[in-house]
mmCIF file of all heavy atoms in Angstrom:
data_model
loop_
_atom_site.group_PDB
_atom_site.id
_atom_site.type_symbol
_atom_site.label_atom_id
_atom_site.label_comp_id
_atom_site.label_asym_id
_atom_site.label_seq_id
_atom_site.Cartn_x
_atom_site.Cartn_y
_atom_site.Cartn_z
ATOM 1 N N ALA A 251 -52.420 175.585 60.885
ATOM 2 C CA ALA A 251 -52.267 176.779 60.056
ATOM 3 C C ALA A 251 -52.889 177.987 60.753
ATOM 4 O O ALA A 251 -53.742 177.855 61.626
ATOM 5 C CB ALA A 251 -52.925 176.559 58.696
ATOM 6 N N THR A 252 -52.431 179.168 60.357
ATOM 7 C CA THR A 252 -52.993 180.400 60.925
ATOM 8 C C THR A 252 -54.281 180.807 60.219
ATOM 9 O O THR A 252 -55.000 181.701 60.703
ATOM 10 C CB THR A 252 -51.969 181.540 60.801
ATOM 11 O OG1 THR A 252 -51.640 181.757 59.425
ATOM 12 C CG2 THR A 252 -50.714 181.215 61.600
ATOM 13 N N ASP A 253 -54.596 180.156 59.087
ATOM 14 C CA ASP A 253 -55.798 180.481 58.309
ATOM 15 C C ASP A 253 -57.037 180.037 59.094
ATOM 16 O O ASP A 253 -57.212 178.854 59.408
ATOM 17 C CB ASP A 253 -55.722 179.765 56.961
ATOM 18 C CG ASP A 253 -56.880 180.136 56.036
ATOM 19 O OD1 ASP A 253 -57.788 180.888 56.468
ATOM 20 O OD2 ASP A 253 -56.875 179.665 54.880
ATOM 21 N N SER A 254 -57.920 180.972 59.374
ATOM 22 C CA SER A 254 -59.121 180.673 60.149
ATOM 23 C C SER A 254 -60.131 179.842 59.364
ATOM 24 O O SER A 254 -61.078 179.289 59.943
ATOM 25 C CB SER A 254 -59.789 181.985 60.615
ATOM 26 O OG SER A 254 -60.101 182.800 59.496
ATOM 27 N N ASN A 255 -59.948 179.753 58.068
ATOM 28 C CA ASN A 255 -60.862 178.990 57.218
ATOM 29 C C ASN A 255 -60.216 177.685 56.734
ATOM 30 O O ASN A 255 -60.652 177.083 55.762
ATOM 31 C CB ASN A 255 -61.280 179.860 56.013
ATOM 32 C CG ASN A 255 -62.510 179.332 55.314
ATOM 33 O OD1 ASN A 255 -63.490 178.941 55.956
ATOM 34 N ND2 ASN A 255 -62.461 179.317 53.977
ATOM 35 N N TYR A 256 -59.178 177.242 57.451
ATOM 36 C CA TYR A 256 -58.368 176.108 56.986
ATOM 37 C C TYR A 256 -59.184 174.831 56.837
ATOM 38 O O TYR A 256 -59.101 174.148 55.810
ATOM 39 C CB TYR A 256 -57.202 175.879 57.954
ATOM 40 C CG TYR A 256 -56.144 174.932 57.415
ATOM 41 C CD1 TYR A 256 -55.349 175.289 56.337
ATOM 42 C CD2 TYR A 256 -55.928 173.681 58.002
ATOM 43 C CE1 TYR A 256 -54.376 174.440 55.848
ATOM 44 C CE2 TYR A 256 -54.951 172.823 57.520
ATOM 45 C CZ TYR A 256 -54.177 173.198 56.435
ATOM 46 O OH TYR A 256 -53.211 172.353 55.956
ATOM 47 N N ALA A 257 -59.986 174.473 57.832
ATOM 48 C CA ALA A 257 -60.777 173.238 57.788
ATOM 49 C C ALA A 257 -61.756 173.254 56.622
ATOM 50 O O ALA A 257 -61.897 172.259 55.899
ATOM 51 C CB ALA A 257 -61.525 173.042 59.106
ATOM 52 N N ASN A 258 -62.420 174.366 56.426
ATOM 53 C CA ASN A 258 -63.393 174.468 55.328
ATOM 54 C C ASN A 258 -62.697 174.357 53.964
ATOM 55 O O ASN A 258 -63.254 173.792 53.019
ATOM 56 C CB ASN A 258 -64.162 175.787 55.409
ATOM 57 C CG ASN A 258 -65.131 175.800 56.572
ATOM 58 O OD1 ASN A 258 -65.608 174.744 57.003
ATOM 59 N ND2 ASN A 258 -65.435 176.998 57.089
ATOM 60 N N ALA A 259 -61.481 174.900 53.868
ATOM 61 C CA ALA A 259 -60.721 174.806 52.613
ATOM 62 C C ALA A 259 -60.396 173.340 52.306
ATOM 63 O O ALA A 259 -60.513 172.890 51.156
ATOM 64 C CB ALA A 259 -59.453 175.640 52.709
ATOM 65 N N LEU A 260 -60.000 172.604 53.343
ATOM 66 C CA LEU A 260 -59.693 171.175 53.152
ATOM 67 C C LEU A 260 -60.941 170.399 52.752
ATOM 68 O O LEU A 260 -60.912 169.576 51.821
ATOM 69 C CB LEU A 260 -59.111 170.591 54.446
ATOM 70 C CG LEU A 260 -57.706 171.074 54.853
ATOM 71 C CD1 LEU A 260 -57.334 170.486 56.214
ATOM 72 C CD2 LEU A 260 -56.668 170.695 53.812
ATOM 73 N N ILE A 261 -62.051 170.654 53.430
ATOM 74 C CA ILE A 261 -63.294 169.924 53.152
ATOM 75 C C ILE A 261 -63.806 170.251 51.752
ATOM 76 O O ILE A 261 -64.322 169.371 51.034
ATOM 77 C CB ILE A 261 -64.354 170.264 54.222
ATOM 78 C CG1 ILE A 261 -63.901 169.687 55.570
ATOM 79 C CG2 ILE A 261 -65.718 169.690 53.834
ATOM 80 C CD1 ILE A 261 -64.751 170.128 56.745
ATOM 81 N N SER A 262 -63.649 171.496 51.326
ATOM 82 C CA SER A 262 -64.072 171.884 49.982
ATOM 83 C C SER A 262 -63.308 171.089 48.916
ATOM 84 O O SER A 262 -63.891 170.631 47.919
ATOM 85 C CB SER A 262 -63.852 173.384 49.782
ATOM 86 O OG SER A 262 -64.193 173.768 48.466
ATOM 87 N N VAL A 263 -62.013 170.912 49.137
ATOM 88 C CA VAL A 263 -61.186 170.134 48.202
ATOM 89 C C VAL A 263 -61.586 168.662 48.236
ATOM 90 O O VAL A 263 -61.657 167.988 47.193
ATOM 91 C CB VAL A 263 -59.681 170.305 48.540
ATOM 92 C CG1 VAL A 263 -58.838 169.283 47.780
ATOM 93 C CG2 VAL A 263 -59.222 171.713 48.224
ATOM 94 N N MET A 264 -61.849 168.113 49.430
ATOM 95 C CA MET A 264 -62.285 166.714 49.551
ATOM 96 C C MET A 264 -63.572 166.484 48.776
ATOM 97 O O MET A 264 -63.730 165.459 48.091
ATOM 98 C CB MET A 264 -62.515 166.357 51.022
ATOM 99 C CG MET A 264 -61.264 166.340 51.875
ATOM 100 S SD MET A 264 -61.717 165.954 53.595
ATOM 101 C CE MET A 264 -60.359 166.729 54.478
ATOM 102 N N ASP A 265 -64.494 167.425 48.885
ATOM 103 C CA ASP A 265 -65.764 167.293 48.170
ATOM 104 C C ASP A 265 -65.551 167.373 46.658
ATOM 105 O O ASP A 265 -66.153 166.617 45.886
ATOM 106 C CB ASP A 265 -66.731 168.399 48.608
ATOM 107 C CG ASP A 265 -67.203 168.230 50.044
ATOM 108 O OD1 ASP A 265 -67.102 167.095 50.568
ATOM 109 O OD2 ASP A 265 -67.658 169.230 50.645
ATOM 110 N N ALA A 266 -64.697 168.296 46.216
ATOM 111 C CA ALA A 266 -64.485 168.518 44.781
ATOM 112 C C ALA A 266 -63.869 167.303 44.095
ATOM 113 O O ALA A 266 -64.222 166.974 42.947
ATOM 114 C CB ALA A 266 -63.617 169.753 44.576
ATOM 115 N N TYR A 267 -62.961 166.629 44.790
ATOM 116 C CA TYR A 267 -62.239 165.497 44.179
ATOM 117 C C TYR A 267 -62.653 164.140 44.752
ATOM 118 O O TYR A 267 -62.006 163.131 44.444
ATOM 119 C CB TYR A 267 -60.731 165.697 44.355
ATOM 120 C CG TYR A 267 -60.182 166.905 43.619
ATOM 121 C CD1 TYR A 267 -59.836 168.053 44.321
ATOM 122 C CD2 TYR A 267 -60.043 166.886 42.230
ATOM 123 C CE1 TYR A 267 -59.327 169.156 43.648
ATOM 124 C CE2 TYR A 267 -59.542 167.988 41.562
ATOM 125 C CZ TYR A 267 -59.195 169.127 42.271
ATOM 126 O OH TYR A 267 -58.714 170.231 41.593
#
Side-chain angles (χ1 to χ4, degrees):
T252 60
D253 185 356
S254 58
N255 197 44
Y256 192 68
N258 289 333
L260 291 175
I261 292 171
S262 177
V263 168
M264 293 178 206
D265 291 340
Y267 295 105

